C-alpha cells in the first residue's frame, strides 16, 4: 500500500504542493490593507482571454482635462504563485498611479504557479498586450471598449512589480524596440520595480544580507522551485534573464528600461548588475535606488513620502 501524499513545499500555509503534484490553496488569502475606493478613479473588470478565464481591471480618472490619456500596464507581484488585481494593495497602487499620472491603467492577471509554471505567466502577459492591440485595431469607437476611445495608443508604458517586473523584462525582449508586433500600439518604455530575478551564483547582497524585515532568500528560492519548469535551475531563462542559459541580448533592440530598487533589498546587487550589463550592451537603462528601502516598498505604501519621489 502506497504512502499518502505529503507536503513538499509550503508557502505560509496559504499554498501547499504535495508529493503527488496536487496543490492546496487557501481560498481566502489574508490581506490587511483596506481597499481604497473613492470618487477620484473609476474602474471595471474585463475578460481578455476567455479560453483561460483571464481578466484585467481597467482604471481611468473620474475627471481629466486631457483629450487623449496615456496607458500604463501594471503587472502585479506575488512570486508567480500569488496575486490578482483584486488584492487591495495592488488595487490601491493602481488607483494611486491613475490619479498621479493622469493615465488609464490596465492591470491584467496571469495564471499562477505551480499549477501553471513559467513561462505561462509570460505568455499571459503577452496576451494582455495583444488584447490592447485588438482594441486599437477596431479602428472605430463602435467596436472598441468605450473607456479606450479617449486613450493614446501611441503612448503606452509597462510597469511591473517584483515578479511583474520580471514579466516586464520578458515583454521588452519579446516586443523589442518600437513594439511593431503590437502596432498600432506603441510601447515607449518599461519600468521594473524590484524585479524578481534569480541565479545559481549568489550576489554579495544575497550572501551578506539574506533577510529583510519580512522576505528572506529561502522564501525566494521556494517561489522559484514552485514556478520554474520542473527539473530546471535558478539559471532558467525565466529566472535569470542574463544567465548562461538565456539568449544574448547584444543584437536585440530594446525600448528604454528603468530599474527601481530599494537599497536594503536582498536582490539589490543582482538588479544593479542587470542594469549595468544591459548598459554595457548599449541599451538605454536607468538604475534608481531608494536608500534603505526593502522589497515591496512602493507597492505596500503607495501614498508614502518615498512613493511621492
Amino acid at each position: 500500500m502506497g504512502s499518502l501524499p505529503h507536503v513538499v513545499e509550503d508557502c505560509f500555509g496559504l499554498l501547499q504542493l504535495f508529493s503527488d503534484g496536487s496543490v492546496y490553496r487557501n481560498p481566502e488569502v489574508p490581506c490587511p490593507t483596506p481597499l481604497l475606493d473613492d470618487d477620484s478613479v473609476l474602474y471595471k473588470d474585463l475578460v481578455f482571454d476567455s479560453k483561460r478565464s483571464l481578466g484585467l481591471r481597467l482604471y481611468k480618472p473620474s475627471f481629466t482635462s486631457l483629450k487623449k490619456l496615456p496607458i500604463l500596464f501594471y503587472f502585479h507581484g506575488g512570486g508567480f504563485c500569488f496575486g490578482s488585481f483584486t488584492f487591495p494593495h495592488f488595487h490601491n497602487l493602481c488607483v494611486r498611479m491613475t490619479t498621479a499620472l493622469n493615465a488609464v491603467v490596465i492591470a491584467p492577471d496571469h495564471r499562477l504557479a505551480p499549477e501553471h509554471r513559467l513561462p505561462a505567466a509570460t505568455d499571459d502577459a503577452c496576451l494582455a498586450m495583444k488584447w490592447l492591440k485588438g482594441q486599437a485595431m477596431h479602428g472605430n469607437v463602435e467596436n472598441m471598449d468605450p473607456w479606450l476611445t479617449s486613450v493614446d495608443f501611441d503612448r503606452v508604458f509597462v510597469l511591473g512589480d517584483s515578479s511583474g517586473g520580471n514579466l516586464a523584462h520578458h515583454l521588452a525582449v519579446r516586443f523589442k524596440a518600437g513594439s511593431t508586433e503590437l502596432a498600432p500600439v506603441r510601447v515607449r518604455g518599461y519600468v521594473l520595480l524590484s524585479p524578481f530575478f534569480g541565479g545559481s551564483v549568489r550576489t554579495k547582497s544575497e550572501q551578506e544580507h539574506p533577510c529583510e524585515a519580512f522576505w528572506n532568500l529561502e522564501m525566494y528560492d521556494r517561489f522559484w522551485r514552485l514556478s520554474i519548469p520542473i527539473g530546471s535551475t535558478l539559471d532558467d531563462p525565466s529566472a535569470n534573464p542574463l544567465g548562461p542559459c538565456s539568449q544574448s541580448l547584444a543584437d536585440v533592440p530594446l525600448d528604454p528600461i528603468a530599474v527601481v530598487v530599494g537599497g536594503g533589498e536582498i536582490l539589490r546587487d543582482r538588479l544593479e548588475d542587470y542594469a549595468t550589463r544591459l548598459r554595457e550592451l548599449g541599451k538605454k537603462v536607468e538604475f534608481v535606488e531608494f536608500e534603505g528601502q526593502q522589497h515591496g516598498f512602493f507597492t505596500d505604501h503607495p501614498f508614502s513620502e518615498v512613493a511621492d519621489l
Side-chain angles (χ1 to χ4, degrees):
M1 184 175 179
S3 59
L4 294 174
H6 59 277
V7 175
V8 293
E9 297 286 357
D10 190 331
C11 281
F12 321 116
L14 303 174
L15 170 63
Q16 295 176 325
L17 175 65
F18 288 82
S19 55
D20 64 351
S22 60
V23 175
Y24 164 77
R25 285 185 180 274
N26 187 324
E28 297 184 6
V29 176
C31 189
T33 305
L35 186 72
L36 179 63
D37 190 5
D38 58 27
D39 59 1
S40 66
V41 169
L42 302 174
Y43 63 92
K44 65 178 179 179
D45 299 343
L46 302 172
V47 174
F48 71 88
D49 185 354
S50 57
K51 180 180 178 181
R52 296 179 176 86
S53 298
L54 291 172
L56 58 80
R57 181 162 288 177
L58 195 62
Y59 299 80
K60 71 171 184 176
S62 298
F63 309 99
T64 180
S65 59
L66 295 179
K67 292 183 178 180
K68 291 289 185 180
L69 297 175
I71 297 172
L72 176 68
F73 265 96
Y74 169 71
F75 291 96
H76 66 71
F80 302 109
C81 298
F82 294 102
S84 166
F85 58 71
T86 62
F87 281 27
H89 56 311
F90 296 146
H91 169 85
N92 294 350
L93 175 59
C94 289
V95 170
R96 170 77 162 103
M97 294 189 295
T98 300
T99 56
L101 302 175
N102 205 11
V104 167
V105 173
I106 302 175
D109 273 351
H110 60 74
R111 288 170 292 169
L112 300 176
E115 298 95 326
H116 305 281
R117 291 176 178 266
L118 293 167
T122 309
D123 294 340
D124 296 344
C126 290
L127 286 174
M129 300 289 289
K130 289 184 176 181
W131 171 85
L132 184 64
K133 172 183 177 175
Q135 291 290 311
M137 289 287 288
H138 283 319
N140 61 75
V141 297
E142 293 181 1
N143 296 321
M144 188 184 301
D145 186 279
W147 283 23
L148 297 177
T149 57
S150 59
V151 301
D152 187 350
F153 291 107
D154 193 56
R155 286 195 299 153
V156 177
F157 299 85
V158 175
L159 183 149
D161 166 44
S162 190
S163 56
N166 178 303
L167 295 179
H169 162 84
H170 288 287
L171 290 172
V173 174
R174 164 65 186 273
F175 295 119
K176 304 180 178 62
S179 52
T180 55
E181 185 181 342
L182 294 174
V185 170
R186 175 68 166 88
V187 178
R188 294 295 175 176
Y190 296 80
V191 180
L192 282 56
L193 287 178
S194 304
F196 185 37
F197 295 145
S200 59
V201 178
R202 300 297 196 192
T203 65
K204 183 179 179 181
S205 63
E206 290 169 348
Q207 292 175 331
E208 296 182 356
H209 306 287
C211 296
E212 299 179 29
F214 177 77
W215 297 105
N216 61 60
L217 200 56
E218 197 283 325
M219 290 180 184
Y220 288 166
D221 289 346
R222 186 184 307 134
F223 278 120
W224 285 126
R225 291 194 299 270
L226 287 166
S227 60
I228 59 177
I230 294 175
S232 191
T233 71
L234 285 176
D235 286 326
D236 185 273
S238 296
N240 190 353
L242 301 181
C245 302
S246 298
Q247 72 173 107
S248 170
L249 299 183
D251 298 323
V252 179
L254 300 177
D255 280 317
I257 294 175
V259 181
V260 182
V261 61
E265 290 200 50
I266 296 168
L267 298 179
R268 187 255 173 224
D269 289 358
R270 183 173 298 279
L271 303 184
E272 183 180 38
D273 178 68
Y274 165 84
T276 299
R277 291 174 64 184
L278 284 184
R279 279 202 210 100
E280 291 172 347
L281 293 175
K283 316 304 180 186
K284 295 179 180 179
V285 179
E286 183 176 358
F287 181 77
V288 181
E289 179 177 350
F290 286 85
E291 184 177 356
Q293 296 299 316
Q294 299 190 351
H295 195 74
F297 70 94
F298 185 67
T299 307
D300 293 340
H301 307 286
F303 293 90
S304 66
E305 183 177 347
V306 173
D308 286 337
L309 299 177

